[in-house]
Amino acid sequence: MNDKSKIEKPVNVLIVGVGGQGVIMVSKVLALLCQTHGFEVKQSEVHGMAKRGGGVFSHIRFGPKVWSPTIPKGKADILLALEWAEAMRWLDHLKPGGTFIADTQRIVPPFACRNRKRGAERNYSRETPAEIIDKVKNGYALDAEGMAMTLGNRRVANTILLGVLSTALDFSPESWQAVIEKFVPPHTIETNAQAFQEGRSWTANAVKPLPVVSEAPSAESIDITTELTINTVWCKGCDICVKMCPERCLALNEDQEAVLIHPDKCTGCRICEWLCPDYAIKLHKRPNSQTEGTGAGV
Amino acid sequence: MNEISADSFDINEYLRLELFPHFLCPGCGHGMAMRAMLWAVAELGIDKDNLAIVSGIGCSGRMGAYVDANTFHVTHGRPLAFATGLKLARPDLTVIVITGDGDSLAIGGNHLIHACRRNLDITCLMLNNEIYGMTGGQVSPTTTLTRFTTTTPYGNYEPAFDACRLAEAAGASFVGREATLQVPTLKNLIREGIEHKGFSFLEVISDCTEIYGRKNALGNSPEMVLSQKSKMRPESYGGLMSNKVDQPFRPNPFQTGVLARNERQEYGELCRRHIAAKQQAE
Ligand code: SF4
Ligand code: SF4
């Protein structure tokens, strides 16, 4: 089946995700698998910001002879993304007609939430999986983490994705399993085997247009007004609230009393209320719809 | 859960408002510790009439006075001894002891180790600000090496106590530590401590801004409270091991979180059972 002579040109697999998801582990599994089948494998990766939740990618090329370690734009045969926005970022590397496999889970980076105001829109990919699956020829988008949870261990999500990936490559399931076993902790071998099968059977049954996005609750749905009251009689002007407010909403006036100078910027995080040693600050939150009806304060 | 109770928790319901503003200095960490404690009490739904707060002498000791509950302000170093009697006589009360580093480790040092040994169902909150603040800034058993106090004008040269390890060794069945910067986390820890059946020893890293901070040029109140963050090493980061890894970069990182938990026979119950058996035999 996985005959060496069948593959003449190198096969390009691009694996992407964010730090901590296991991109490197997944690509090691694939690289070792190709090696055991006698292919030459080149893998190159960038994981510099991995610990900060930054993007991680790994190029894998295998074939009878591989020269360059990187995949040019538009030349990846398979794009495997462990996170949705990363999938979008690397989509242009996929060749026309290539296989697209993506986990729909969203890891929203801090810089996408720079506007912390309630209800502010996030700078996160707005493409939905259904849209993308429509456009690519062989597209699979799944909620691997959710599937892993039903198997009882969210960490096997990557193995589920490997199961999906295995259907796009010409290696026997047994040889995949043998390699996966080498990478996972001994007591999880069974769950991982299950997860691998789960990925394969999901792919077999996958009908277009696919999947359910694991949509994070959007900020827009929380419609709340915040109101801050400062008891200036109790305030001792220690400056803690002024310096600790992430939005710089507060300041000390000439009497060394805390005052709210930017009520519009307050996100209601309560840091000032919690850290005021004199209990001078109280934050009230009320849902907007209710205040109109009753007019009552909290 | 957390967010709901943050909304509905109103600290004023638990305070003796006529005594406010309190006497603590601007920026004193004890205020935050008290908020966390009262928040934990509110979350557990403990009735104020069933709550007894025993406090010793010192800035920490004054906190008892501000809480609207059954409060006892007792002699220096003796809150644990007092609380032991109270809890034995009234096992139905939730007894919380508020003490300071000097109160519990120096003057009341023996009471602390014996309270740990007995394992009576009390929660002991030790507010550690490394100094005797109320009496004018003398060196305490937890003052960091080389720091200045009124009694160490050339810097402190006595090694400091690790109170949590002391308590654990003496037999406390629940030991934890948290800093005042993390009010919600501290609240959760105190809550766990109150729920624990047995002696809970909780060290709260607090700041003395006006005396200790000023004498050692540790910055203003915001800088001091923020600096706690760089010193903490949460237990969930891998505990002692990660402390070792950090050594070259962070001198003396302190571990936070639940540091020890061992289920032992609670003393009050044991005591009552024993007495009942003896009385029956007579
Ligand atoms: S709740 Fe307080 S700390 Fe948070 S943004 Fe509003 S003013 Fe600032
Ligand atoms: S933290 Fe409290 S006491 Fe300090 S300045 Fe702000 S309101 Fe005043």
Side-chain angles (χ1 to χ4, degrees):
Chain A
M1 190 163 101
N2 33 61
D3 197 350
K4 233 171 132 181
S5 58
K6 263 193 180 168
I7 298 176
E8 285 148 20
K9 283 205 317 183
V11 177
N12 301 330
V13 183
L14 180 58
I15 302 175
V16 301
V18 303
Q21 282 196 297
V23 172
I24 307 298
M25 208 276 272
V26 169
S27 54
K28 274 186 186 160
V29 170
L30 180 59
L32 187 65
L33 179 72
C34 300
Q35 262 175 350
T36 53
H37 285 81
F39 289 113
E40 192 174 310
V41 186
K42 287 225 162 92
Q43 188 228 354
S44 62
E45 64 198 35
V46 166
H47 58 268
M49 294 305 275
K51 272 203 171 168
R52 302 262 176 273
V56 183
F57 63 83
S58 169
H59 296 236
I60 295 183
R61 308 189 74 216
F62 67 93
K65 188 75 208 159
V66 180
W67 298 103
S68 164
T70 52
I71 303 170
K73 244 186 202 174
K75 289 284 196 274
D77 296 290
I78 299 172
L79 171 64
L80 173 63
L82 275 48
E83 200 269 344
W84 185 249
E86 291 303 313
M88 296 303 98
R89 194 193 305 285
W90 291 94
L91 198 53
D92 58 352
H93 275 62
L94 191 65
K95 76 170 186 201
T99 308
F100 169 87
I101 305 168
D103 191 334
T104 53
Q105 76 160 309
R106 294 154 165 250
I107 299 178
V108 182
F111 48 79
C113 322
R114 261 190 303 205
N115 185 352
R116 280 173 295 200
K117 189 98 192 72
R118 236 158 238 290
E121 199 172 1
R122 287 186 184 143
N123 287 324
Y124 189 86
S125 145
R126 289 182 189 85
E127 290 86 353
T128 64
E131 264 170 51
I132 299 299
I133 299 296
D134 257 2
K135 285 182 189 147
V136 294
K137 206 145 171 238
N138 295 309
Y140 302 99
L142 65 155
D143 177 16
E145 198 182 337
M147 288 161 74
M149 297 269 243
T150 54
L151 288 178
N153 186 352
R154 64 193 293 176
R155 288 186 171 168
V156 299
N158 289 348
T159 314
I160 296 180
L161 289 171
L162 281 173
V164 181
L165 177 66
S166 71
T167 60
L169 291 167
D170 245 354
F171 301 108
S172 71
E174 292 73 35
S175 57
W176 274 98
Q177 300 257 28
V179 176
I180 291 172
E181 276 178 22
K182 288 192 187 139
F183 283 90
V184 300
H187 65 277
T188 62
I189 286 180
E190 208 172 297
T191 329
N192 273 289
Q194 260 178 19
F196 183 76
Q197 277 312 327
E198 178 85 11
R200 283 182 73 87
S201 52
W202 179 86
T203 322
N205 301 328
V207 234
K208 289 190 187 186
L210 285 163
V212 222
V213 200
S214 47
E215 189 81 56
S218 72
E220 289 88 324
S221 63
I222 312 163
D223 189 19
I224 281 177
T225 313
T226 61
E227 190 191 313
L228 200 83
T229 49
I230 300 174
N231 182 350
T232 46
V233 179
W234 288 10
C235 169
K236 291 184 183 137
C238 70
D239 209 21
I240 288 181
C241 59
V242 177
K243 291 277 161 55
M244 301 298 270
C245 169
E247 314 300 331
R248 301 277 180 273
C249 298
L250 299 148
L252 288 184
N253 66 11
E254 60 275 17
D255 295 331
Q256 299 295 302
E257 293 162 350
V259 282
L260 185 65
I261 48 169
H262 295 302
D264 50 317
K265 281 208 215 144
C266 173
T267 58
C269 69
R270 287 189 191 276
I271 287 179
C272 57
E273 180 185 322
W274 287 337
L275 289 184
C276 173
D278 291 270
Y279 318 127
I281 301 183
K282 177 79 192 147
L283 185 96
H284 305 277
K285 284 187 190 176
R286 33 178 102 93
N288 275 344
S289 44
Q290 263 189 26
T291 31
E292 277 163 30
T294 59
V298 178
Chain B
M1 163 106 207
N2 207 335
E3 184 68 8
I4 296 166
S5 94
D7 279 333
S8 55
F9 171 58
D10 181 10
I11 191 164
N12 290 357
E13 285 173 19
Y14 290 86
L15 299 178
R16 293 187 175 138
L17 294 174
E18 65 278 12
L19 297 179
F20 272 74
H22 59 55
F23 93 123
L24 297 167
C25 303
C28 175
H30 289 7
M32 305 165 205
M34 188 156 103
R35 167 183 288 276
M37 180 190 81
L38 293 177
W39 189 359
V41 165
E43 263 196 21
L44 288 170
I46 298 171
D47 186 24
K48 284 190 260 184
D49 288 335
N50 288 330
L51 175 68
I53 293 187
V54 187
S55 60
I57 300 296
C59 298
S60 59
R62 254 320 258 273
M63 298 197 4
Y66 295 115
V67 182
D68 184 17
N70 306 298
T71 58
F72 304 89
H73 195 176
V74 303
T75 46
H76 206 352
R78 274 67 186 159
L80 278 168
F82 189 91
T84 303
L86 179 64
K87 183 75 187 179
L88 282 177
R90 288 287 304 273
D92 55 311
L93 294 182
T94 302
V95 181
I96 301 178
V97 171
I98 303 180
T99 170
D101 43 326
D103 197 49
S104 70
L105 293 175
I107 299 106
N110 262 317
H111 292 301
L112 174 68
I113 54 176
H114 292 291
C116 292
R117 175 174 64 89
R118 287 190 195 106
N119 196 33
L120 186 61
D121 189 12
I122 298 175
T123 306
C124 174
L125 224 60
M126 187 194 93
L127 307 184
N128 179 4
N129 56 6
E130 306 194 8
I131 200 164
Y132 286 81
M134 183 183 263
T135 48
Q138 291 83 356
V139 68
S140 97
T142 55
T143 309
T144 308
L145 273 182
T146 73
R147 289 274 165 85
F148 299 103
T149 66
T150 41
T151 46
T152 56
Y154 303 111
N156 171 35
Y157 43 84
E158 291 177 8
F161 249 136
D162 184 336
C164 286
R165 286 174 61 190
L166 173 78
E168 187 188 344
S173 54
F174 184 96
V175 180
R177 184 192 282 133
E178 197 54 69
T180 51
L181 175 69
Q182 311 269 42
V183 173
T185 323
L186 175 60
K187 177 257 307 177
N188 289 341
L189 183 75
I190 296 175
R191 192 185 146 144
E192 236 179 298
I194 296 175
E195 281 177 321
H196 174 81
K197 190 121 185 74
F199 189 75
S200 325
F201 180 82
L202 307 173
E203 177 178 355
V204 183
I205 305 290
S206 182
D207 289 316
C208 169
T209 50
E210 286 294 317
I211 301 177
Y212 195 62
R214 198 177 288 228
K215 262 208 175 333
N216 292 288
L218 299 177
N220 295 329
S221 317
E223 283 93 56
M224 279 190 81
V225 68
L226 201 56
S227 73
Q228 291 177 347
K229 192 164 190 160
S230 60
K231 286 185 270 175
M232 286 194 285
R233 260 299 162 241
E235 183 66 7
S236 54
Y237 281 13
L240 273 177
M241 244 352 257
S242 70
N243 280 356
K244 291 218 175 72
V245 174
D246 275 344
Q247 280 305 351
F249 311 106
R250 295 182 178 178
N252 310 320
F254 52 81
Q255 269 180 284
T256 56
V258 180
L259 304 182
R261 195 201 295 265
N262 50 63
E263 297 303 330
R264 283 173 56 212
Q265 175 69 53
E266 199 262 332
Y267 176 69
E269 219 164 76
L270 190 75
C271 199
R272 280 188 295 281
R273 224 181 32 221
H274 195 74
I275 291 172
K278 279 272 181 283
Q279 280 172 345
Q280 228 165 30
E282 272 165 19

